[in-house]
Amino acid sequence: MNTISILAALDENYLPRMQVMLTSLYLNNPGERADVYLLHSGIPQEQLAAVKRQLDFMQYGFYPVPVDKSLFDGAPVTKQYPREMYYRLLAPRLLPETLDRVIYLDPDILIINSLRPLWETDLRGNLFGAAAHTGMTELANRVNRVRLDSGSDYYNSGVLLMDLSAGRREIRPEEIFRFVEERGMELLLPDQDLLNALYGRRILPLDDALWNYDARNYNNYLLRSGGICDLDWVMEHTAILHFCGKAKPWKKGYFYRFGVLYKHYARLTARMFPKEEEGEERED
């Protein structure tokens, strides 16, 4: 059984969220091996060490990849368009050339069933596999299709199955930078808009109820499925719960249904991988 490759791209503030996601991956994919790649802009080594201890326990590989800032010389980089927004699209150029495919995951995710079927999905010549939340946001989906002239549904960029080999041939950093330079004022969700505008026609649609379930919208999934996608169905079939939007389950006031499940995995993470006490001697 081949190793699943996972990609994250974030700053140090989201490391604790990534650790919760990794705990859920480990507990709900027994017997799997995974390598975790992290694209970052200089996260301190002591913070990366906490993730490495967790992944060593899981017997997963950990490969932090500091991104060379020179790649973005001449690129539009501002507070609205930080370097990090380019990382997932440029992953084919940033990750080792020996890597052929990877599953990109946002850190605000729980994995509650096997990722193996997603990992083994045939992309049929596409650059990406991604899900569109069309059932919940059909009006927004149509508006975004026109706004970006993507010729496709509006795909969420928080979960991506990526063909890195094809990406190395087809994704050009200069094309991405030029698009932002020319149409940056039109971008509402910059990294997601870039994915859809430039590569919407090269995306294999995935079932969002399985691979990118919007945790805010339980009632919509239930109604859309004629009552089939109830809580029991989600716990048995959904692999990826995505806590989309500004409201997050680790913040006060989160009221959506799956918030308590997130808190459960956050508690398990804290129990299994406690933070080192101040002054405690650390291993190299």
Side-chain angles (χ1 to χ4, degrees), residues 127-142:
L127 291 172
F128 304 97
H133 294 142
T134 54
M136 282 63 69
T137 54
E138 187 54 47
L139 176 60
N141 186 59
R142 290 197 298 267

Side-chain angles (χ1 to χ4, degrees), residues 4 20-32 58 60 109-117 234-236 238-241 261 264-265 268 272:
I4 295 174
V20 175
M21 181 264 285
L22 292 172
T23 297
S24 69
L25 168 66
Y26 173 72
L27 293 175
N28 294 302
N29 286 259
E32 289 284 6
M58 297 173 175
Y60 289 177
I109 273 172
L110 289 180
I111 299 161
I112 61 173
N113 279 298
S114 175
L115 281 187
R116 174 63 55 179
V234 171
M235 297 308 296
E236 183 177 353
T238 296
I240 297 174
L241 276 177
L261 185 63
H264 170 68
Y265 281 100
L268 287 176
M272 295 170 67

Side-chain angles (χ1 to χ4, degrees), residues 81 97 118 129 133 145 158 168 182 192-193 202 206 220 267:
Y81 308 126
E97 292 193 2
L118 176 61
H133 294 142
R145 190 183 306 185
R168 292 182 189 105
E182 294 173 354
Q192 196 157 275
D193 282 355
R202 302 298 315 284
L206 302 176
N220 299 77
R267 183 71 192 112

Side-chain angles (χ1 to χ4, degrees), residues 26-274:
Y26 173 72
L27 293 175
N28 294 302
N29 286 259
E32 289 284 6
R33 299 296 300 271
D35 287 335
V36 178
Y37 295 83
L38 172 60
L39 299 176
H40 69 95
S41 297
I43 296 176
Q45 187 59 42
E46 58 270 20
Q47 296 194 35
L48 293 174
V51 180
K52 186 177 188 306
R53 285 192 298 273
Q54 178 184 12
L55 292 174
D56 284 348
F57 173 86
M58 297 173 175
Q59 297 185 340
Y60 289 177
F62 183 42
Y63 304 97
V65 181
V67 178
D68 186 354
K69 295 179 181 179
S70 67
L71 178 64
F72 302 95
D73 289 346
V77 175
T78 64
K79 185 176 181 180
Q80 184 181 3
Y81 308 126
R83 282 188 298 273
E84 287 81 0
M85 85 170 189
Y86 298 109
Y87 286 2
R88 75 191 77 181
L89 290 182
L90 296 181
R93 298 295 186 93
L94 300 173
L95 294 175
E97 292 193 2
T98 53
L99 206 57
D100 294 326
R101 66 166 40 196
V102 75
I103 298 174
Y104 169 84
L105 297 172
D106 273 352
D108 55 347
I109 273 172
L110 289 180
I111 299 161
I112 61 173
N113 279 298
S114 175
L115 281 187
R116 174 63 55 179
L118 176 61
W119 177 248
E120 295 181 347
T121 295
D122 183 356
L123 282 172
R124 304 175 204 163
N126 290 285
L127 291 172
F128 304 97
H133 294 142
T134 54
M136 282 63 69
T137 54
E138 187 54 47
L139 176 60
N141 186 59
R142 290 197 298 267
V143 169
N144 285 319
R145 190 183 306 185
V146 173
R147 177 172 67 89
L148 299 171
D149 189 27
S150 63
S152 65
D153 288 330
Y154 187 71
Y155 295 101
N156 182 275
S157 62
V159 178
L160 298 172
L161 177 62
M162 307 176 68
D163 184 335
L164 298 174
S165 298
R168 292 182 189 105
R169 294 191 300 269
E170 298 186 39
I171 295 176
R172 298 284 178 264
E174 59 273 15
E175 292 179 4
I176 297 172
F177 301 154
R178 184 168 61 248
F179 184 90
V180 176
E181 191 74 54
E182 294 173 354
R183 299 183 59 182
M185 296 299 292
E186 303 171 34
L187 304 181
L188 304 179
L189 298 171
D191 48 357
Q192 196 157 275
D193 282 355
L194 280 173
L195 172 73
N196 283 274
L198 293 174
Y199 309 109
R201 293 174 174 84
R202 302 298 315 284
I203 296 175
L204 176 74
L206 302 176
D207 184 347
D208 60 315
L210 297 176
W211 303 116
N212 195 340
Y213 186 106
D214 188 334
R216 300 169 295 182
N217 287 309
Y218 171 79
N219 289 334
N220 299 77
Y221 285 104
L222 186 65
L223 290 171
R224 185 177 72 175
S225 66
I228 293 174
C229 295
D230 59 10
L231 280 174
D232 288 337
W233 187 96
V234 171
M235 297 308 296
E236 183 177 353
H237 295 92
T238 296
I240 297 174
L241 276 177
H242 190 181
F243 293 88
C244 305
K246 292 184 178 180
K248 300 297 183 187
W250 58 87
K251 296 181 179 179
K252 289 184 177 180
Y254 189 85
F255 59 86
Y256 295 107
R257 187 175 304 259
F258 293 101
V260 67
L261 185 63
Y262 188 91
K263 291 180 184 297
H264 170 68
Y265 281 100
R267 183 71 192 112
L268 287 176
T269 303
R271 184 182 302 149
M272 295 170 67
F273 310 105

